[in-house]
Amino acid sequence: MLRWIIFIIIYIVITIYGFQAIRTVTKSTWIHYLFLAIALIVVGNFLFQFLSSSEGRVLNPVKSYAFGFLLAFISFNLVIIPILLGEDIIRFILGLYDRLVTTKDVFYLPSRRKFISQVAVGLAAIPFASLLYGMYRGKYRFRVLNYTLHFEDLPEAFDGYKITQISDIHSGSFDNKEKIEYGVNLINEQKSDVILFTGDLVNNKSSEMLPWKDLFGTLKAKDGVFSVLGNHDYGDYVDWDSPDEKAQNLVDLVQLQRDMGYDILLNESRFIEKDGQRLAIVGVENWGKGGFKKAGDLKKAAQNIEPNDFKILMSHDPSHWEAEVIDDDYHYHLTLSGHTHGMQFGIEIPGWIKWSPVKWRYKYWAGIYKEMGQYINVNRGFGYLGYPGRVGIWPEITVIELKKGTSTT
């Protein structure tokens, strides 16, 4: 309860600053009341949605939108605070100077300047509008990213082999069937040789996927669809009535993927054979640093493959690649991960800038990286979680073409 009290106090303080800016910019009373009404509705809805839940950290679309609107409103006020606070410091200095120099009996602060508040509100409108856009359109702004990777030891039969990777579906967040159908069709339109899904099918419960089971079951590729588990697939963020109920949820989720036609790899491997040659698909369960489940067992998953096999590893969390995979005795040519979502917020201009706050948590957070002759692709995710939108970091479908030889670029 204490944390909620602290939250409310902080919310009131930052809202006061936002209100001061609005009141300085315009004298229209109805706008003042509108701002205060929005502040009350946003925080009231957020508290109702999160305090009335008894299932733990379960996120559904209604709760996500409550959080999203709160985040947008708070971001508006947070941009205003440093500007007005800076003005307050100057106002105090001027007031103190006037009191000491003129020896007036009363200390007073100079009035706020309308121009400063106009600048503050104008700047605050940028993240506010961006977050609202991200909720309305950004979360379904699917894009296909194409990469060509060269390997000298790639079996010749797989020269030109195409892989489509998707990750972090988070079906429990979906709220627009038409947009999701478009995304699924876009995956199939790539006509890759194989589709690899790197975990987090749901937010919390296997039942979240039931309305989308038939749609995602239409994903097809010549050599099949393979999948692994992500941290959210285990139901660790739900207050289950019993351990058996939680265990059954995982059983149901695994079976659901098999019913959809996915070959789910639970610390296992498979071979794709072509013209007498083969490449290995290795899939580990979730393994992540920072308090995330470490169910992945790389040694177990690779027990049936040979050192000289060309290996593609599916591991949901990229911290696994950094901690265990790079230095493993086996050379994993390509690792496919997800998990970070690119934080669903950032700035990306190809060839110029790639930035997101998530880079302070994960060294490898989006796109292709290479270490010790091994590649990893960190997919930005198909779905979304928490904040029900995306700003600058759009939902991703990755297509990777394997080429034999050395890159000429």
Side-chain angles (χ1 to χ4, degrees):
M1 181 58 68
L2 178 61
R3 64 176 179 174
W4 291 108
I5 294 175
I6 295 174
F7 162 73
I8 293 173
I9 292 173
I10 294 174
Y11 182 82
I12 291 173
V13 170
I14 66 174
T15 301
I16 288 173
Y17 265 94
F19 180 69
Q20 288 182 34
I22 294 296
R23 191 174 59 178
T24 304
V25 168
T26 177
K27 301 303 180 184
S28 299
T29 305
W30 71 269
I31 295 181
H32 302 167
Y33 284 126
L34 177 62
F35 180 87
L36 294 175
I38 292 173
L40 288 173
I41 292 171
V42 166
V43 74
N45 183 47
F46 174 80
L47 292 173
F48 173 77
Q49 297 297 337
F50 281 80
L51 290 177
S52 61
S53 175
S54 60
E55 292 185 297
R57 290 181 284 170
V58 174
L59 287 171
N60 54 41
V62 175
K63 290 177 70 173
S64 293
Y65 274 105
F67 172 70
F69 286 121
L70 178 76
L71 182 64
F73 187 75
I74 287 178
S75 71
F76 178 84
N77 292 294
L78 286 179
V79 172
I80 288 174
I81 286 177
I83 299 173
L84 264 59
L85 188 59
E87 185 188 25
D88 284 344
I89 294 172
I90 295 174
R91 290 168 64 211
F92 177 80
I93 293 174
L94 292 175
L96 181 62
Y97 176 82
D98 189 56
R99 172 71 176 84
L100 295 175
V101 172
T102 63
T103 65
K104 292 180 179 179
D105 295 332
V106 179
F107 174 81
Y108 74 97
L109 291 176
S111 300
R112 289 196 179 280
R113 288 174 289 177
K114 184 176 181 179
F115 174 73
I116 298 298
S117 291
Q118 287 175 328
V119 171
V121 171
L123 292 175
I126 296 174
F128 179 73
S130 297
L131 288 168
L132 292 182
Y133 171 81
M135 295 165 63
Y136 175 59
R137 294 289 296 274
K139 61 186 176 183
Y140 294 133
R141 189 177 168 181
F142 297 105
R143 64 175 184 169
V144 178
L145 298 184
N146 291 275
Y147 301 101
T148 300
L149 301 181
H150 292 78
F151 303 89
E152 292 185 358
D153 56 347
L154 178 71
E156 289 188 8
F158 292 92
D159 186 22
Y161 195 79
K162 288 178 63 176
I163 300 165
T164 288
Q165 180 200 0
I166 56 173
S167 192
D168 298 87
I169 289 174
H170 287 289
S171 56
S173 298
F174 292 158
D175 59 7
N176 189 318
K177 185 176 181 181
E178 182 180 349
K179 296 294 186 182
I180 300 304
E181 286 179 344
Y182 168 77
V184 170
N185 290 335
L186 193 59
I187 296 170
N188 279 328
E189 286 173 8
Q190 305 313 306
K191 299 187 182 302
S192 291
D193 296 289
V194 68
I195 296 174
L196 303 180
F197 168 58
T198 47
D200 275 2
L201 186 69
V202 298
N203 294 349
N204 301 283
K205 297 182 175 182
S206 62
S207 57
E208 298 167 3
M209 190 61 191
L210 294 179
W212 310 98
K213 174 183 175 182
D214 291 342
L215 177 59
F216 280 88
T218 64
L219 291 179
K220 303 296 179 184
K222 178 172 62 69
D223 290 329
V225 180
F226 296 87
S227 65
V228 293
L229 296 173
N231 56 297
H232 280 268
D233 294 325
Y234 295 89
D236 287 342
Y237 312 122
V238 181
D239 291 335
W240 299 96
D241 291 333
S242 68
D244 289 342
E245 184 181 13
K246 179 181 178 181
Q248 186 60 49
N249 176 75
L250 182 58
V251 170
D252 292 343
L253 185 137
V254 169
Q255 185 58 50
L256 188 150
Q257 294 196 46
R258 288 172 175 158
D259 292 343
M260 290 161 56
Y262 298 6
D263 187 351
I264 185 167
L265 304 181
L266 305 172
N267 294 322
E268 300 172 279
S269 63
R270 302 285 189 269
F271 290 107
I272 296 177
E273 299 187 2
K274 187 177 181 181
D275 298 336
Q277 298 178 319
R278 70 183 190 180
L279 60 80
I281 305 293
V282 183
V284 297
E285 294 194 45
N286 191 79
W287 192 105
K289 294 194 298 185
F292 290 106
K293 181 181 287 291
K294 290 181 172 61
D297 188 334
L298 186 59
K299 297 299 184 185
K300 179 181 178 182
Q303 62 184 351
N304 293 324
I305 66 176
E306 299 296 330
N308 292 329
D309 282 325
F310 189 91
K311 295 173 282 295
I312 298 173
L313 173 65
M314 302 167 65
S315 181
H316 177 71
D317 192 319
S319 66
H320 184 218
W321 190 67
E322 180 183 5
E324 293 196 341
V325 178
I326 295 176
D327 296 319
D328 191 84
D329 293 338
Y330 276 10
H331 180 90
Y332 288 89
H333 299 77
L334 173 62
T335 297
L336 303 177
S337 297
H339 181 64
T340 72
H341 299 207
M343 203 174 171
Q344 297 168 209
F345 179 86
I347 302 172
E348 288 196 86
I349 303 176
W352 289 86
I353 185 173
K354 184 176 78 172
W355 178 88
S356 169
V358 78
K359 68 177 294 183
W360 298 324
R361 174 73 185 273
Y362 293 96
K363 181 178 180 181
Y364 309 102
W365 60 274
I368 296 285
Y369 303 88
K370 185 178 182 181
E371 299 282 356
M372 298 175 62
Q374 302 168 89
Y375 290 95
I376 184 173
N377 180 64
V378 185
N379 184 285
R380 294 160 180 81
F382 183 92
Y384 51 91
L385 180 71
Y387 165 61
R390 286 177 175 266
V391 179
I393 305 292
W394 312 119
E396 174 183 341
I397 298 164
T398 311
V399 177
I400 299 175
E401 183 178 13
L402 306 181
K403 296 293 292 182
K404 185 173 179 61
T406 304
S407 174
T408 58
T409 61

